[in-house]
């Protein structure tokens, strides 16, 4: 049965967009060298003009961060730093609706996801790390771990505010100051976060935000005044950054791409597994580094699982991201839509069989219907390359050993999922899957206390949990490390 829903749009009235945004340097919004426009991917409407930071602007931001590091932040007792982080966390909660609506407008993701996932998790990251700020000496890195200095952080467009929180909260809790570059297509929630820093009375220069494109990111990671680089984005750019940092003495963490296997055994409850498969690949339009983009189904239940999956995909509602009933929003940019379309065409050309959910696509904006490929071989590009869109590739297996072999047959290693009612099989699989996170009978679950990160070409370093703190601390000279 298909239910028809009346439109239930969230109001945009809560968001006050400025015509133009400056760079956030030294606690104030300042002009930069040039400007660019940020648009809504759902309507292609221009939302605002944003400043493009050139090398001299990056230089100013790094100088402001250095001054704040030396004069205030690194010398401030942890319990005082913690108060600022708690304050920021509470302000994110207070302004949650505004942040959620703005995120959805700029990114294209459904309001249900920005409201129920992105913004609450961003607040949770600040709450969690606020609690660590005065307890770093008890985190297992020796009695007096020290901050690293000025951190340069570059983030992608798929979870703009949440990736900012993953980066800024631990850096600040550990006593570092920050220069952050959001993605070119999604700068607006980072700029609203800058306002939150002002509202929280955060000392000027502790957080600096430089908007711009890849060249701005390049200038930031190459800047000699940076002590540590934290990057989340594609493996291709991650490799470039690793090369740029190689002989600089800068500390580096990389959170890169993924091609996760979601493995369904024949004893799994099919309806629950199908919900997990749908959540694994269609959540956030599949713009998720840890998306379950390769479904491995045990042969004996293949027909049953695929029939249930197609039925469920047929009920997904695609459209206005601000509508509270929308399941699948807009693709973030034309460039990403082109990339998805090119990889999908390659899947068809290489002989895989395509099925897309029968949903009408809006005339304006960037859209792609939820799609599943069957008859996929491991050699196909759609089985090997990260599509970063709502496209699932299905493969089959007979034995657990074959499932492990196929799941690990990827240059990536960020996440994996296992669906079975046998606890022993879950543990057997988890100990063999080469992935930073393995979910059992669920998918895409996040918590600030749980470390997240990759193996192989998915990068190195962990974010979240006690492990994530280490990336922002100098632990040398501590005897018990
Ligand atoms: P990228 O193209 O790599 O961009 C990421 C960020 O780096 C953007 O801010 C980008 O600026 C900037 N950038 C581009 N070229 C740069 C350079 N040469 N030097 C320094 N910075 C540069 O990735 P994306 O397309 O935005 O994001 C999608 C990718 O991120 C996927 O592969 C996804 O798997 C990965 N991702 C990983 C994780 C984790 S936790 N592992 C989480 C989310 C996303 P512009 O926006 O201006 O290009």
């Amino acid at each position: 049965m298909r239910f028809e829903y009346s439109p239930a749009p969230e109001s945009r009235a809560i968001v006050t967009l400025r015509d133009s945004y400056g760079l956030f340097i030294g606690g104030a919004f300042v002009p930069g060298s040039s400007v660019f426009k940020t648009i809504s991917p759902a309507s292609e409407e221009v939302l605002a003009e944003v400043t493009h930071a050139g090398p001299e602007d990056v230089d100013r931001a790094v100088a402001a961060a250095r001054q704040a590091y030396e004069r205030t932040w690194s010398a401030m007792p942890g319990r005082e730093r913690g108060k600022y982080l708690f304050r920021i966390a509470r302000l994110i909660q207070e302004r949650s609706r505004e942040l959620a609506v703005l995120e959805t407008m700029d990114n294209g993701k459904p309001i249900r996801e920005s409201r129920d996932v992105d913004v609450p998790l961003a607040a949770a990251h600040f709450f969690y790390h606020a609690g660590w700020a005065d307890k770093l000496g008890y985190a297992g890195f020796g009695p007096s771990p020290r901050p690293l200095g000025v951190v340069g952080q570059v983030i992608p467009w798929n979870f703009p505010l949440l990736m900012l929180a993953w980066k800024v909260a631990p850096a600040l809790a550990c006593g570092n100051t920050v220069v952050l570059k959001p993605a070119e297509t999604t700068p607006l929630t980072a700029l609203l976060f800058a306002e939150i820093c002002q509202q929280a009375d955060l000392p000027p220069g502790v957080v600096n935000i430089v908007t711009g494109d890849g060249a701005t990111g390049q200038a930031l990671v190459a800047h000699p005044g940076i002590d540590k680089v934290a990057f989340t984005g594609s493996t291709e750019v991650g490799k470039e950054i690793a090369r740029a940092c190689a002989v600089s003495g800068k500390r580096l963490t990389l959170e890169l791409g993924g091609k996760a296997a979601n493995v369904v055994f024949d004893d799994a409850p099919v309806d629950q597994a199908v919900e997990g498969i749908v959540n694994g690949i269609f959540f956030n339009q599949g713009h998720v580094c840890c998306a379950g983009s390769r479904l491995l189904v045990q042969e004996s239940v293949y027909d049953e699982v695929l029939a249930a999956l197609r039925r469920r995909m047929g009920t997904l509602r695609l459209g206005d991201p601000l509508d509270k009933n929308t399941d699948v929003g807009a693709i973030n940019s034309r460039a990403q839509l082109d990339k998805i379309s090119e990889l999908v065409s390659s899947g068809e050309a290489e002989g895989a069989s395509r099925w897309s959910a029968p949903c009408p696509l809006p005339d304006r904006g960037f859209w792609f219907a939820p799609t599943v490929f069957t008859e996929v071989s491991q050699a196909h590009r759609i089985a090997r390359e990260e599509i970063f869109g709502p496209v699932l590739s299905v493969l089959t297996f007979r034995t657990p050993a074959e499932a492990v072999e196929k799941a690990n047959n990827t240059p990536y290693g960020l996440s994996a999922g296992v669906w079975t009612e046998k606890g022993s099989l879950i543990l057997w699989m988890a100990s063999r899957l080469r992935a930073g996170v393995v979910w059992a009978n669920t998918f895409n679950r996040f918590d600030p206390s749980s470390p997240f990160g990759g193996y192989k070409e998915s990068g190195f370093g962990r974010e979240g949990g006690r492990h994530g703190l280490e990336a922002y601390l100098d632990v040398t000279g501590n005897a018990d490390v």
Side-chain angles (χ1 to χ4, degrees), residues 108-344:
K109 65 174 68 199
I111 184 72
R112 238 184 34 211
E113 291 175 5
S114 47
R115 183 194 63 195
D116 298 348
V117 181
D118 297 47
V119 178
L121 270 177
H125 270 267
F126 278 96
F127 276 120
Y128 175 77
H129 288 96
W132 269 121
D134 62 348
K135 302 173 194 70
L136 297 171
Y138 307 96
F141 308 120
S144 51
R146 291 180 305 278
L148 295 171
V150 177
V151 184
Q153 306 182 317
V154 180
I155 55 172
W157 45 261
N158 57 343
F159 292 93
L161 181 71
L162 184 57
M163 288 300 107
L164 174 151
W166 279 29
K167 294 273 178 283
V168 174
L172 262 46
C174 293
N176 305 280
T177 57
V178 161
V179 181
L180 176 125
K181 190 201 92 67
E184 186 181 358
T185 57
T186 54
L188 294 182
T189 45
L191 293 165
L192 185 51
F193 177 81
E195 280 180 29
I196 288 176
C197 292
Q198 287 179 322
Q199 209 180 340
D201 269 333
L202 191 70
V206 171
V207 168
N208 304 275
I209 293 176
V210 288
T211 44
D213 60 7
T216 309
Q218 227 170 356
L220 179 59
V221 302
H223 197 287
I226 295 285
D227 299 297
K228 182 217 157 63
V229 172
F231 172 76
T232 295
S234 60
T235 295
E236 192 189 348
V237 174
K239 285 180 180 174
E240 208 177 297
I241 291 177
R243 277 192 293 271
C245 292
V247 286
S248 66
K250 289 173 192 161
R251 291 268 297 267
L252 175 65
T253 40
L254 297 174
E255 300 282 357
L256 308 176
K259 190 75 188 174
N262 203 359
V263 186
V264 179
F265 285 95
D266 59 5
D267 61 346
V270 170
D271 287 344
Q272 273 164 265
V274 165
E275 284 309 306
I277 296 163
V278 166
N279 175 36
I281 185 63
F282 302 123
F283 168 65
N284 202 30
Q285 297 72 247
H287 301 328
V288 183
C289 49
C290 50
S293 52
R294 283 183 302 148
L295 175 63
L296 301 187
V297 189
Q298 198 153 21
E299 242 176 50
S300 47
V301 288
Y302 173 80
D303 291 336
E304 188 186 352
V305 169
L306 260 287
L309 177 61
R310 288 199 182 106
R311 247 190 335 268
R312 179 68 181 92
M313 285 170 65
T315 67
L316 291 173
R317 287 178 296 273
L318 176 149
D320 180 8
L322 278 171
D323 192 315
K324 291 170 213 155
N325 292 324
T326 292
D327 298 308
V328 181
I331 300 303
N332 180 252
S333 63
R334 182 170 299 284
Q336 187 60 24
L337 180 58
D338 290 346
K339 183 184 161 195
I340 296 168
S341 306
E342 192 272 315
L343 273 159
V344 164

